[in-house]
mmCIF file of all heavy atoms in Angstrom:
data_model
loop_
_atom_site.group_PDB
_atom_site.id
_atom_site.type_symbol
_atom_site.label_atom_id
_atom_site.label_comp_id
_atom_site.label_asym_id
_atom_site.label_seq_id
_atom_site.Cartn_x
_atom_site.Cartn_y
_atom_site.Cartn_z
ATOM 1 N N HIS A 99 134.854 -164.868 52.213
ATOM 2 C CA HIS A 99 134.577 -163.457 52.350
ATOM 3 C C HIS A 99 133.259 -163.128 51.714
ATOM 4 O O HIS A 99 132.540 -162.293 52.182
ATOM 5 C CB HIS A 99 135.751 -162.620 51.759
ATOM 6 C CG HIS A 99 135.742 -161.154 52.117
ATOM 7 N ND1 HIS A 99 135.707 -160.640 53.473
ATOM 8 C CD2 HIS A 99 135.440 -160.050 51.424
ATOM 9 C CE1 HIS A 99 135.466 -159.480 53.518
ATOM 10 N NE2 HIS A 99 135.593 -158.916 52.296
ATOM 11 N N GLU A 100 132.978 -163.684 50.540
ATOM 12 C CA GLU A 100 131.685 -163.536 49.866
ATOM 13 C C GLU A 100 130.620 -163.906 50.808
ATOM 14 O O GLU A 100 129.524 -163.236 50.717
ATOM 15 C CB GLU A 100 131.717 -164.196 48.499
ATOM 16 C CG GLU A 100 132.680 -163.764 47.371
ATOM 17 C CD GLU A 100 132.297 -162.239 47.147
ATOM 18 O OE1 GLU A 100 131.011 -161.903 47.028
ATOM 19 O OE2 GLU A 100 133.189 -161.472 46.917
ATOM 20 N N LEU A 101 130.721 -165.108 51.468
ATOM 21 C CA LEU A 101 129.730 -165.543 52.424
ATOM 22 C C LEU A 101 129.488 -164.423 53.509
ATOM 23 O O LEU A 101 128.450 -164.012 53.897
ATOM 24 C CB LEU A 101 129.965 -166.764 52.971
ATOM 25 C CG LEU A 101 129.701 -167.906 52.104
ATOM 26 C CD1 LEU A 101 130.311 -169.279 52.563
ATOM 27 C CD2 LEU A 101 128.207 -168.164 51.975
ATOM 28 N N ALA A 102 130.663 -163.859 54.038
ATOM 29 C CA ALA A 102 130.605 -162.835 55.077
ATOM 30 C C ALA A 102 129.829 -161.618 54.551
ATOM 31 O O ALA A 102 129.083 -161.002 55.334
ATOM 32 C CB ALA A 102 132.043 -162.540 55.445
ATOM 33 N N LYS A 103 130.071 -161.188 53.317
ATOM 34 C CA LYS A 103 129.474 -159.996 52.791
ATOM 35 C C LYS A 103 127.898 -160.154 52.654
ATOM 36 O O LYS A 103 127.126 -159.170 52.624
ATOM 37 C CB LYS A 103 130.084 -159.655 51.493
ATOM 38 C CG LYS A 103 131.485 -159.063 51.531
ATOM 39 C CD LYS A 103 131.873 -158.294 50.351
ATOM 40 C CE LYS A 103 132.230 -159.100 49.185
ATOM 41 N NZ LYS A 103 132.823 -158.477 48.096
ATOM 42 N N GLN A 104 127.534 -161.448 52.533
ATOM 43 C CA GLN A 104 126.137 -161.773 52.311
ATOM 44 C C GLN A 104 125.518 -161.981 53.874
ATOM 45 O O GLN A 104 124.324 -162.423 53.811
ATOM 46 C CB GLN A 104 125.962 -163.043 51.548
ATOM 47 C CG GLN A 104 126.406 -162.960 50.078
ATOM 48 C CD GLN A 104 126.530 -164.243 49.341
ATOM 49 O OE1 GLN A 104 125.998 -165.326 49.788
ATOM 50 N NE2 GLN A 104 127.274 -164.255 48.361
ATOM 51 N N GLY A 105 126.233 -161.690 54.854
ATOM 52 C CA GLY A 105 125.648 -161.812 56.188
ATOM 53 C C GLY A 105 125.787 -163.317 56.799
ATOM 54 O O GLY A 105 125.150 -163.600 57.700
ATOM 55 N N ARG A 106 126.606 -164.031 56.092
ATOM 56 C CA ARG A 106 126.808 -165.402 56.502
ATOM 57 C C ARG A 106 128.133 -165.854 57.057
ATOM 58 O O ARG A 106 128.823 -166.943 56.838
ATOM 59 C CB ARG A 106 126.424 -166.513 55.393
ATOM 60 C CG ARG A 106 125.023 -166.422 54.874
ATOM 61 C CD ARG A 106 124.560 -167.654 54.210
ATOM 62 N NE ARG A 106 124.426 -168.773 55.194
ATOM 63 C CZ ARG A 106 124.652 -170.099 54.861
ATOM 64 N NH1 ARG A 106 124.937 -170.335 53.655
ATOM 65 N NH2 ARG A 106 124.558 -170.995 55.826
ATOM 66 N N ALA A 107 128.856 -164.818 57.749
ATOM 67 C CA ALA A 107 130.158 -165.005 58.294
ATOM 68 C C ALA A 107 130.264 -166.130 59.235
ATOM 69 O O ALA A 107 131.150 -166.897 59.297
ATOM 70 C CB ALA A 107 130.684 -163.726 58.969
ATOM 71 N N GLY A 108 129.207 -166.291 60.061
ATOM 72 C CA GLY A 108 129.122 -167.266 61.112
ATOM 73 C C GLY A 108 129.098 -168.638 60.556
ATOM 74 O O GLY A 108 129.859 -169.517 60.914
ATOM 75 N N ALA A 109 128.198 -168.823 59.444
ATOM 76 C CA ALA A 109 128.271 -170.192 58.805
ATOM 77 C C ALA A 109 129.617 -170.444 58.117
ATOM 78 O O ALA A 109 130.092 -171.602 58.155
ATOM 79 C CB ALA A 109 127.172 -170.154 57.673
ATOM 80 N N ALA A 110 130.315 -169.496 57.585
ATOM 81 C CA ALA A 110 131.570 -169.752 56.907
ATOM 82 C C ALA A 110 132.676 -170.116 57.917
ATOM 83 O O ALA A 110 133.372 -170.993 57.795
ATOM 84 C CB ALA A 110 132.081 -168.393 56.147
ATOM 85 N N MET A 111 132.590 -169.377 59.102
ATOM 86 C CA MET A 111 133.595 -169.650 60.143
ATOM 87 C C MET A 111 133.304 -170.952 60.764
ATOM 88 O O MET A 111 134.175 -171.698 61.120
ATOM 89 C CB MET A 111 133.695 -168.556 61.099
ATOM 90 C CG MET A 111 134.414 -167.232 60.459
ATOM 91 S SD MET A 111 134.780 -166.066 61.765
ATOM 92 C CE MET A 111 133.087 -165.399 62.087
ATOM 93 N N GLY A 112 131.971 -171.206 61.043
ATOM 94 C CA GLY A 112 131.734 -172.529 61.589
ATOM 95 C C GLY A 112 131.964 -173.688 60.732
ATOM 96 O O GLY A 112 132.631 -174.716 61.241
ATOM 97 N N MET A 113 131.742 -173.653 59.405
ATOM 98 C CA MET A 113 132.121 -174.675 58.565
ATOM 99 C C MET A 113 133.641 -174.818 58.419
ATOM 100 O O MET A 113 134.179 -175.907 58.347
ATOM 101 C CB MET A 113 131.494 -174.432 57.043
ATOM 102 C CG MET A 113 131.903 -175.399 56.090
ATOM 103 S SD MET A 113 131.368 -177.054 56.368
ATOM 104 C CE MET A 113 129.546 -176.872 56.263
#
Side-chain angles (χ1 to χ4, degrees):
H99 190 62
E100 288 299 320
L101 282 167
K103 287 198 290 188
Q104 296 166 18
R106 300 203 67 209
M111 287 190 286
M113 179 55 73

